[in-house]
Amino acid sequence: MDIVIISAVIASLFLVIGAAEPLAARLRLPFSVILAVLGILIGSGAIFFLRTELTDALNPVAEAILGLPIRSNVFLYIFLPTLLFQATLGMNLRRMLDDWVPIMVLAVVAVVVATLGVGYALSWTSALPLAACLLVGAIVSTTDPSAVVSIFRSISAPRRLSRIIEGESLLNDAAAIALFGLFMGFVMLGVPDPDLGEALAQFPVLILGGALTGWLAARIAIWMMALFSAHELAVISVSAALPYLAYIGSEQIVGASGVIAVVAAGLTLNLAGPGRLPPQAWTSLGEVWGLLAHWAGALIFILTALLIPRLLEAVQLYDFVLIGVVILAAIAARAVILFGLLPLLTLIKVSPAVEPAYRTAILWGGLRGAVTLALALAVTESLLVPVEVKRLVGILATGFTLFTLLVQGTTLRTVIRRLGLDRLSPIDEVMSRQVVAVALQTVREDVARTTEDYALPRDVVRSEAKLFGERLDEAVKATEESEEILKRDRITLGLIALAGFERDTIIQRVRERTISARMAEKTLLDADRLIEGARAKGRNGYQQAARRSVAYGRAFRLAGLLHAKLGLSAPLVRLTADRFELLLSQRLTLRDLDAFIEGRIRRIHRRRVADLLLEMLARRIEMVETALDGLRLQYPGYAEKLERRFIRRTALRLEEREYTAMREDGLIGAEVHTNLMQDLMARRAQEEERPPLDIAVQRLELVRQFPLFADMDDRTIRQLGRALKTRYANAGSIVLRKDGTVKNVFFIASGAVELETAGQTWRLGRGEMFGQVAILSKNARSAEARAIAPTTLLVLDVARFRSLLKRSTALQDAVRASAEQRGLNPEALLAKN
């Protein structure tokens, strides 16, 4: 075929793609539906002009369209990796892990149920063998919910719901392709039927092998991108190679799932990339992949749609009945998951609650698309599949896909409107009105200043001010009408706005490189949790998320256990340094929020709400400062190194701003600016390296600072430093339980602990100890000790404590003081030792 004609056809397809998006927006239909319709029209038109006797002028164009090398491998090896990889880059993986149970249920269980449901329904109503029916079920089981996701986002649906749907769409392709490969082996002629047990046993290999291949490929790619970080185009080029090499390597070399490999590679880059690459390079990489995925998704839809007229050429009347069976069975199978299994998971508290209206929208929004058609095409291309099986597979898969696109896709917005999902919630409606009122007030003040600066005619200014004032009065009146709702929800509204501004501030700090890319994802994750906590539970949800942001996580406690039990300090060193930097970043951001409360929140929600938010912000700052002080005390000097690093990073940001301003003002030329920026980038690269943290040295310094160990010599302190174990406790955690056996004495390195026994309560802080009274008195009944702040404890076993007590006067004095506080005879207590 003439390369000129092929090039012209492909270029024309890009024109069609460009026109499809505004057309979809105008008709209020999903983009994929418009692409499918246009593809069908183009394919049908090419067949018509090739066969008609009206004219032969368009035959070369028609032949070029119908002769395009559209094969299933083109979709699976060229377009699919691009779509999967870009989807993983845009995910908030850490938040998605919170919902891994419903995601896996929809991505795996729903695919299996749909495969079995469609397969057995077809076997009862058609002459196809069961294996071929199950093959059809596997082909139509993978969904393309991109349309419903975009609509949910446009109506401000809960983010958790959107994450579940996105996770399902990302992972169900792998399950469907794996089942497709299994049943394809049963329908091929001249090929031994695969053993079902062996095939099922291969599933873990497919998944684990693909995941390991993708992870390894991503780690190599990240190393290369970090090496080339000063060259943005080189970084993007390496990322372009990653999904294809991962897919091909997994499929052809390892014999595992290429889809899983691409997903694993994308998720690995998503997690590690922001901390290893410059912010601008990471932003540009995301933009490039967004464009590539847009083109790939559009092309895969339009090219598969070109094939639909040919796939339906041999359709017979009874085939429409079988298409109806597939439609009913597939919808019923999806309904079983959405209205049966998901509510059950919610009931046993392993899945977030999904409202019935949303489940209905998800059910009707389960559109099928390019992957379904690509798998059907793979069957029709095979020479080993019986002709009748190929014919029916192609017709059934194509007919079902057309139904989902042309019937479900075109009516999806109507269904959503009937369900009432296109309306804002009362709280969002109130927020919208308040924001409009305050924005107009701010605009009026800015416009007044602008008119003064430009000395515009007073009559013109007065006339426009009157019109603007009328609009402002209407906005204020609408706000006053919602006063009843505001009394109930204005605090929640204020907290959502405050958390949103905090997120925007973090993004700005990351762009300015005041907050390092390493901490960007974690700080943004905390901000997202604040927003969702406020939306879901109001004030309590916001406070829970705030406490969680400064708490010791499970990973931190596990790292402490590895360090204490096995002497593995590397995880603890990394997490401790991360915690230092995270707390410093939080403090930096929180200091900027009071101005937002005083300026915007007070104007929107009035003084009472603003004062309450200022009080909550003060408590958050106190929590961060307490946690940061605890780390400073635990690791003397390290916080100072990080703060000095922050000052140097800020100075570099300001220096860069000055150079840019001078370049824009023409004070320096392009050559001088480039030279200055190269020098600045070199110094910035040095500051990206975080100062090392030596836990052993820091532990020794900490022990020396304890007043209880002040009279010990260096040798004893070194021995004590090796003997002490570290334990981390979050606020509310119980360190010692009543009536429990006390086996250790605890020294508070940072934080605070509350002791309760016999109706009395004491609070202990840094430098104090507890557990010693129960040990020395040999009393099985002990006080209950509960951490009331994120607390770091140094733990010493009974034998070493008794030995130390005999040699330390300061420790003996501390024991006497604690005994007197509880009304015990201190000398008698020490005599028992």
Side-chain angles (χ1 to χ4, degrees):
M1 187 181 300
D2 189 356
I3 188 63
V4 175
I5 297 179
I6 293 179
S7 300
V9 170
I10 294 176
S12 300
L13 291 181
F14 274 96
L15 287 178
V16 172
I17 292 169
E21 188 169 9
L23 181 61
R26 185 175 182 83
L27 298 178
R28 298 178 63 80
L29 291 173
F31 181 50
S32 55
V33 172
I34 296 297
L35 288 172
V37 171
L38 292 175
I40 293 170
L41 292 176
I42 293 171
S44 301
I47 294 175
F48 171 79
F49 283 112
L50 194 62
R51 296 179 179 178
T52 185
E53 296 180 357
L54 296 176
T55 178
D56 294 333
L58 297 178
N59 282 4
V61 177
E63 290 175 353
I65 292 173
L66 297 176
L68 286 173
I70 305 173
R71 300 289 182 269
S72 59
N73 283 345
V74 173
F75 298 117
L76 297 178
Y77 279 89
I78 295 179
F79 294 124
L80 188 59
T82 301
L83 295 175
L84 293 174
F85 190 71
Q86 189 276 334
T88 58
L89 289 182
M91 280 185 171
N92 189 334
L93 180 60
R94 287 190 171 90
R95 294 314 314 272
M96 196 162 286
L97 289 176
D98 295 339
D99 299 304
W100 71 272
V101 173
I103 287 173
M104 293 307 296
V105 166
L106 287 171
V108 179
V109 178
V111 168
V112 174
V113 171
T115 299
L116 296 176
V118 172
Y120 279 100
L122 272 179
S123 70
W124 296 332
T125 55
S126 72
L128 283 174
L130 179 60
C133 296
L134 292 173
L135 178 65
V136 174
I139 290 173
V140 303
S141 63
T142 178
T143 61
D144 176 29
S146 57
V148 72
V149 169
S150 63
I151 294 175
F152 277 1
R153 286 175 175 173
S154 69
I155 62 172
S156 302
R159 292 186 182 180
R160 170 170 282 179
L161 180 58
S162 298
R163 284 197 301 269
I164 293 173
I165 299 172
E166 289 173 1
E168 176 204 4
S169 66
L170 184 68
L171 298 176
N172 66 7
D173 289 342
I177 291 172
L179 289 173
F180 168 82
L182 172 64
F183 295 120
M184 187 71 170
F186 284 102
V187 300
M188 296 172 69
L189 299 174
V191 177
D193 288 347
D195 181 82
L196 186 59
E198 292 181 2
L200 293 177
Q202 287 296 313
F203 267 65
V205 177
L206 291 174
I207 296 173
L208 295 178
L212 182 60
T213 303
W215 175 83
L216 182 60
R219 296 307 304 182
I220 296 173
I222 291 170
W223 172 78
M224 292 181 65
M225 286 189 280
L227 195 64
F228 305 152
S229 59
H231 306 279
E232 191 172 295
L233 295 179
V235 169
I236 296 173
S237 299
V238 172
S239 74
L242 174 57
Y244 296 101
L245 294 178
Y247 190 95
I248 294 170
S250 181
E251 290 274 347
Q252 303 298 325
I253 300 175
V254 180
S257 170
V259 172
I260 293 294
V262 174
V263 171
L267 295 179
T268 303
L269 182 59
N270 185 334
L271 285 173
R276 299 290 302 276
L277 302 178
Q280 185 56 46
W282 181 253
T283 301
S284 299
L285 186 148
E287 292 172 352
V288 168
W289 272 102
L291 179 61
L292 291 175
H294 174 74
W295 285 343
L299 283 172
I300 195 173
F301 253 104
I302 201 165
L303 289 175
T304 50
L306 289 175
L307 300 173
I308 289 176
R310 277 182 283 172
L311 291 173
L312 293 178
E313 277 185 324
V315 66
Q316 300 173 7
L317 185 61
Y318 187 68
D319 295 337
F320 289 103
V321 176
L322 297 183
I323 292 174
V325 170
V326 173
I327 292 171
L328 293 176
I331 292 177
R334 192 162 176 81
V336 167
I337 299 298
L338 289 168
F339 294 95
L341 188 55
L342 271 186
L344 178 61
L345 293 176
T346 301
L347 187 64
I348 60 177
K349 298 182 179 180
V350 296
S351 171
V354 181
E355 297 296 328
Y358 285 115
R359 278 181 268 147
T360 303
I362 295 172
L363 173 65
W364 197 245
L367 308 183
R368 270 60 169 183
V371 175
T372 296
L373 291 177
L375 295 178
L377 184 61
V379 176
T380 62
E381 292 172 354
S382 176
L383 299 176
L384 300 178
V385 177
V387 174
E388 181 62 14
V389 172
K390 288 198 291 187
R391 186 188 75 82
L392 276 177
V393 167
I395 289 172
L396 295 180
T398 305
F400 179 59
T401 301
L402 283 177
F403 173 83
T404 63
L405 291 174
L406 302 182
V407 178
Q408 292 178 233
T410 56
T411 59
L412 185 57
R413 283 190 178 273
T414 302
V415 171
I416 288 177
R417 187 169 61 252
R418 292 286 179 86
L419 293 171
L421 297 178
D422 59 337
R423 295 188 294 270
L424 289 175
S425 65
I427 192 170
D428 288 331
E429 184 68 33
V430 172
M431 178 179 286
S432 175
R433 294 174 185 173
Q434 290 288 319
V435 167
V436 169
V438 173
L440 291 179
Q441 290 176 7
T442 304
V443 169
R444 182 175 65 177
E445 296 169 1
D446 292 342
V447 169
R449 285 194 297 269
T450 302
T451 54
E452 289 181 7
D453 293 341
Y454 288 96
L456 296 174
R458 291 185 178 275
D459 292 341
V460 175
V461 173
R462 194 178 300 112
S463 174
E464 290 299 319
K466 181 180 179 181
L467 294 175
F468 192 87
E470 292 174 356
R471 186 184 173 197
L472 178 59
D473 291 341
E474 292 177 1
V476 172
K477 183 179 178 181
T479 300
E480 292 173 350
E481 290 174 354
S482 61
E483 182 68 23
E484 181 179 351
I485 298 177
L486 277 174
K487 288 179 181 178
R488 185 177 66 249
D489 294 326
R490 65 174 63 172
I491 294 175
T492 299
L493 290 168
L495 289 174
I496 293 172
L498 181 63
F501 179 75
E502 181 175 344
R503 193 181 195 282
D504 294 340
T505 303
I506 292 169
I507 293 174
Q508 182 61 31
R509 297 297 188 196
V510 172
R511 288 173 179 167
E512 295 172 350
R513 300 196 180 187
T514 306
I515 294 177
S516 70
R518 185 193 301 270
M519 286 295 103
E521 188 176 3
K522 182 65 173 69
T523 51
L524 288 173
L525 174 63
D526 289 336
D528 287 340
R529 285 198 174 112
L530 289 169
I531 294 172
E532 292 194 12
R535 278 188 175 277
K537 300 180 182 178
R539 182 177 176 180
N540 291 335
Y542 181 90
Q543 291 174 326
Q544 289 173 4
R547 287 192 294 269
R548 182 176 179 179
S549 68
V550 299
Y552 291 109
R554 288 190 295 268
F556 204 105
R557 294 195 293 272
L558 178 60
L561 188 64
L562 290 174
H563 174 68
K565 300 295 186 182
L566 304 177
L568 299 175
S569 60
L572 183 60
V573 168
R574 181 176 60 82
L575 291 176
T576 301
D578 284 347
R579 181 170 173 79
F580 255 122
E581 192 169 357
L582 176 65
L583 292 172
L584 287 171
S585 301
Q586 285 185 344
R587 187 181 66 174
L588 169 69
T589 304
L590 293 176
R591 294 291 183 183
D592 292 338
L593 299 186
D594 54 350
F596 177 76
I597 296 175
E598 290 287 359
R600 293 297 181 94
I601 298 294
R602 189 180 297 277
R603 298 178 69 176
I604 295 177
H605 302 296
R606 303 180 187 174
R607 177 174 295 276
R608 176 178 169 272
V609 174
D611 290 343
L612 180 61
L613 263 59
L614 285 172
E615 180 183 341
M616 295 177 67
L617 177 62
R619 286 202 293 269
R620 279 193 67 194
I621 294 175
E622 183 181 358
M623 282 194 301
V624 172
E625 292 286 4
T626 300
L628 198 52
D629 287 342
L631 283 175
R632 283 198 186 97
L633 294 170
Q634 189 179 353
Y635 302 104
Y638 188 72
E640 181 183 342
K641 292 180 182 178
L642 288 179
E643 287 166 341
R644 289 181 180 276
R645 174 174 174 256
F646 163 73
I647 294 172
R648 291 193 292 267
R649 290 166 62 92
T650 303
L652 288 171
R653 173 176 59 85
L654 297 175
E655 186 178 349
E656 180 182 7
R657 187 181 66 183
E658 288 300 314
Y659 293 156
T660 303
M662 290 180 182
R663 173 71 179 89
E664 293 173 350
D665 294 340
L667 297 177
I668 58 176
E671 296 83 1
V672 175
H673 180 263
T674 301
N675 184 64
L676 291 172
M677 291 303 296
Q678 287 177 347
D679 176 65
L680 187 142
M681 290 296 292
R683 286 182 284 131
R684 175 171 282 157
Q686 294 177 354
E687 295 304 328
E688 288 293 333
E689 295 296 327
R690 199 159 52 187
L693 172 62
D694 190 331
I695 284 185
V697 174
Q698 295 287 330
R699 170 72 63 79
L700 197 58
E701 291 296 323
L702 174 63
V703 173
R704 283 198 176 100
Q705 290 185 10
F706 258 82
L708 298 177
F709 309 138
D711 60 344
M712 296 180 186
D713 55 45
D714 287 346
R715 180 172 176 272
T716 304
I717 285 180
R718 283 193 293 272
Q719 292 175 345
L720 183 61
R722 289 191 293 269
L724 288 166
K725 307 297 182 184
T726 306
R727 179 173 173 182
Y728 302 97
N730 286 318
S733 299
I734 296 177
V735 181
L736 284 179
R737 297 186 179 275
K738 284 184 178 179
D739 300 328
T741 302
V742 181
K743 300 179 180 179
N744 301 291
V745 176
F746 299 86
F747 300 90
I748 303 175
S750 65
V753 172
E754 186 174 78
L755 298 180
E756 182 181 352
T757 183
Q760 293 182 300
T761 301
W762 298 274
R763 287 192 173 183
L764 306 178
R766 179 184 178 267
E768 296 184 277
M769 64 178 172
F770 60 92
Q772 75 282 359
V773 172
I775 288 174
L776 296 176
S777 63
K778 299 180 181 179
N779 185 355
R781 294 182 60 83
S782 65
E784 181 175 89
R786 182 190 303 270
I788 56 176
T791 302
T792 302
L793 302 168
L794 299 181
V795 185
L796 192 64
D797 61 75
V798 173
R800 286 190 175 92
F801 173 73
R802 291 182 181 275
S803 174
L804 190 63
L805 183 62
K806 295 177 181 178
R807 293 180 286 168
S808 173
T809 304
L811 201 56
Q812 292 172 9
D813 292 340
V815 170
R816 290 189 181 94
S818 62
E820 290 173 355
Q821 188 178 24
R822 298 194 184 190
L824 301 176
N825 185 345
E827 299 306 325
L829 194 65
L830 288 171
K832 292 181 180 181
N833 189 45

